[in-house]
Amino acid sequence: MPASTNAQAKNGNLLNNAGLRNTTQRALIMDIIRQGRGHLDADEVYRQAKRKQPRISLSTVYRTLQKLKGLGLIEELHFDEAHHHYEIKHPSEHHHLTCFGCGKVIEFQYPLTRLVKRNVHEAKEFDITQTELHMAGYCEQCRKNKK
Amino acid sequence: MPASTNAQAKNGNLLNNAGLRNTTQRALIMDIIRQGRGHLDADEVYRQAKRKQPRISLSTVYRTLQKLKGLGLIEELHFDEAHHHYEIKHPSEHHHLTCFGCGKVIEFQYPLTRLVKRNVHEAKEFDITQTELHMAGYCEQCRKNKK
DNA sequence: CTCAGTGCAAAAGCTTTGCATAATA
DNA sequence: TATTATGCAAAGCTTTTGCACTGAG
């Protein structure tokens, strides 16, 4: 049984459970985001989607991203650039480390919320619902290459 | 001696040291950002600036923000929204906690870079040059008001 | 006096929206 | 069949850029 069948069924269920219609466009967009290891922006999702469904429109991509974000199925990240990046939502708190040299993105987990609430006085009574950490710099390899 | 005189002299020095001309527009924009406790976006800087210099243009605001950012005098932050926010650069590593209810922004310091480099395997050999943590939720007071 | 900086207006992204058509449940 | 979702095109925002003029050094 091919992997795509699994993924499609999974997407369909997620959409149905959320009360949304399971259209081919939505399933495709979710597939792309799920497989998008580097974090994709809307235009990149659109370009990848067009390869499989040439008639898909940018508006559909944007509308789908909004819907999925609203449902908590994907996460919208705000990096250095003017546009947003999207990824499938992870169950646990995780963060990002980007290399300016090669552009690779390392994800790592770290219980920052707990830590900050424990150590920062003003945060103690805060009900933190969103945590976004982005670090960037140069990875070992790119530093070597520069020398 | 009024505070504004100090601030203006300070801005002038900063600009001169950076090899930039000390124009009234730049001095004003730096003043606004320095005093902008909540983090201002370009348009807010523009509107405040127009109150003192009605002929100032949005392009000047954008160009100045870019210059100052390039020189490391101000920091560009990427929050939830589509546009950027700016603040005077702090010497030490600090982070943000925003209340969705009342919009207040709490700044706090925390040596995250050191911590992550020490505890996250992939980060050990990374040369981290940029760290941006943004947390958000509801402060104690807003939680009480909701009940 | 020179050249960096400014204001204005126009252009260039990214994102949203209105409306007729197509597809799902 | 009744809506919901899509595609297209047009509009909306934020940000950038070209050019002639102004002002700091």
Side-chain angles (χ1 to χ4, degrees), chain B residues 111-143:
Chain B
L112 268 186
T113 304
R114 219 186 315 153
L115 187 83
V116 168
K117 283 192 65 131
R118 199 167 51 211
N119 291 306
V120 178
H121 176 260
E122 293 87 348
K124 282 214 166 43
E125 297 304 324
F126 230 90
D127 175 23
I128 296 172
T129 60
Q130 212 178 78
T131 301
E132 193 174 310
L133 170 66
H134 186 231
M135 303 178 115
Y138 292 91
C139 69
E140 196 176 4
Q141 207 171 326
C142 285
R143 290 220 310 290

Side-chain angles (χ1 to χ4, degrees), chain A residues 92-107:
Chain A
S92 63
E93 197 185 333
H94 71 288
H95 315 289
H96 300 86
L97 183 52
T98 304
C99 177
F100 285 134
C102 57
K104 86 175 149 210
V105 178
I106 293 171
E107 274 180 27

